[in-house]
Amino acid sequence: ENDDALVEKYLLEEPIDNDELRAALRRATIANRVQPVLVGSALKNRGVQLLLDAVVDYLPSPLDIPPIEGVDPRTGRLVVRHASDNEPLSALVFKIITDPFVGRLAFFRVYSGVLKAGSSVQNTSKGKKERIGRVVRMFADRREDVEEVHAGDIAATLGLKDTFTGETLSDAHAPILLESITFPEPVIS
C-alpha cells in the first residue's frame, strides 16, 4: 500500500521479490508510515536474531535521517551537524549508571565527529571541560575497550566528573548544545 510500484505488480499478479518488499518496507518505516512488529522471547532465545536482522533491514542508519540541530551557546544561532567523522564532535549523554567494578559509566551517542580516549571535550551544557578516560563499547555480558568512536556510534566512558544525563559533549573550538532529554512528570506521587 505504501509503494506504487509494488501495488502495480500486485494488481498485475506479477511476483514480488523479497528484496523489493524489504526495500519498500524500509522506505515506509523510515518515512514513519509503517511500524514493523516482531514477536519473540529473549528468555528462550526465540526471534532474537530475526529482531536484530529487522533492525538492520528496516530502521534508519544515521545517514538516513536529517542532520542533528543544536544551538551555538556563544551566539544562540542554530547549528547543523551531519553524521560525519569530518564534522566537529557532538555527542549526547543519555544514561549514567554506577557499575560496582568500574565506577560511574556515562553512556553517550556520537552525532558527529570522532571521540578518542584520552582527549578533552567540553560539556557544553555546563561550560566545563571534561577529560575522556577509557572509552568502552558495552555488550550484554562484557565490555570492550576502544580507542575511538565515530559518528553514529554508542559507547560509554568512565570518570566524567561534571556530566550527567541529557548533557552535550562537544569540541571546545566548535561548541554545540543539543536538545536535552526531557523526562515526563510522574503521574503518581
Side-chain angles (χ1 to χ4, degrees), residues 82-103:
H82 298 281
S84 168
D85 292 347
N86 299 325
E87 294 265 336
L89 174 70
S90 61
L92 184 67
V93 176
F94 64 87
K95 183 178 185 177
I96 302 283
I97 65 166
T98 302
D99 186 288
F101 300 107
V102 296

Side-chain angles (χ1 to χ4, degrees), residues 6 23-24 33 40 50 65-66 71 86 91 100-101 104-105 124 130 135 155 175 178:
L6 287 184
R33 292 191 311 260
L50 294 172
I65 58 175
V71 175
N86 299 325
F101 300 107
R104 212 165 134 244
L105 274 172
T124 315
E130 289 274 15
V135 177
L178 301 176

Side-chain angles (χ1 to χ4, degrees), residues 1-13 16:
E1 295 174 2
N2 289 287
D3 189 281
D4 293 337
L6 287 184
V7 169
E8 188 175 327
K9 275 187 148 187
Y10 174 77
L11 293 175
L12 295 174
E13 296 183 1
I16 297 174

Side-chain angles (χ1 to χ4, degrees), residues 16-37:
I16 297 174
D17 185 82
N18 281 343
D19 292 335
E20 291 175 305
L21 187 59
R22 196 173 290 118
L25 274 171
R26 179 178 176 81
R27 285 191 300 272
T29 302
I30 290 171
N32 208 19
R33 292 191 311 260
V34 299
Q35 291 79 35
V37 177

Side-chain angles (χ1 to χ4, degrees), residues 11-131:
L11 293 175
L12 295 174
E13 296 183 1
E14 294 178 8
I16 297 174
D17 185 82
N18 281 343
D19 292 335
E20 291 175 305
L21 187 59
R22 196 173 290 118
L25 274 171
R26 179 178 176 81
R27 285 191 300 272
T29 302
I30 290 171
N32 208 19
R33 292 191 311 260
V34 299
Q35 291 79 35
V37 177
L38 295 102
V39 297
S41 169
L43 182 64
K44 302 209 183 257
N45 201 21
R46 298 244 161 47
V48 174
Q49 188 60 48
L50 294 172
L51 172 69
L52 295 174
D53 291 342
V55 167
V56 171
D57 289 342
Y58 305 127
L59 296 183
S61 80
L63 300 176
D64 294 328
I65 58 175
I68 191 75
E69 294 179 346
V71 175
D72 185 331
R74 300 173 295 194
T75 63
R77 292 183 25 202
L78 185 69
V79 180
V80 175
R81 297 271 169 87
H82 298 281
S84 168
D85 292 347
N86 299 325
E87 294 265 336
L89 174 70
S90 61
L92 184 67
V93 176
F94 64 87
K95 183 178 185 177
I96 302 283
I97 65 166
T98 302
D99 186 288
F101 300 107
V102 296
R104 212 165 134 244
L105 274 172
F107 286 80
F108 61 91
R109 177 178 180 217
V110 178
Y111 284 94
S112 66
V114 177
L115 184 94
K116 296 182 181 183
S119 64
S120 289
V121 297
Q122 180 175 342
N123 176 334
T124 315
S125 304
K126 292 183 177 169
K128 295 186 176 186
K129 284 205 178 254
E130 289 274 15
R131 186 178 182 290

Side-chain angles (χ1 to χ4, degrees), residues 163-183:
T163 301
F164 297 97
T165 302
E167 296 182 347
T168 304
L169 302 175
S170 68
D171 186 334
H173 302 295
I176 185 173
L177 185 59
L178 301 176
E179 183 179 354
S180 183
I181 299 170
T182 55
F183 298 99

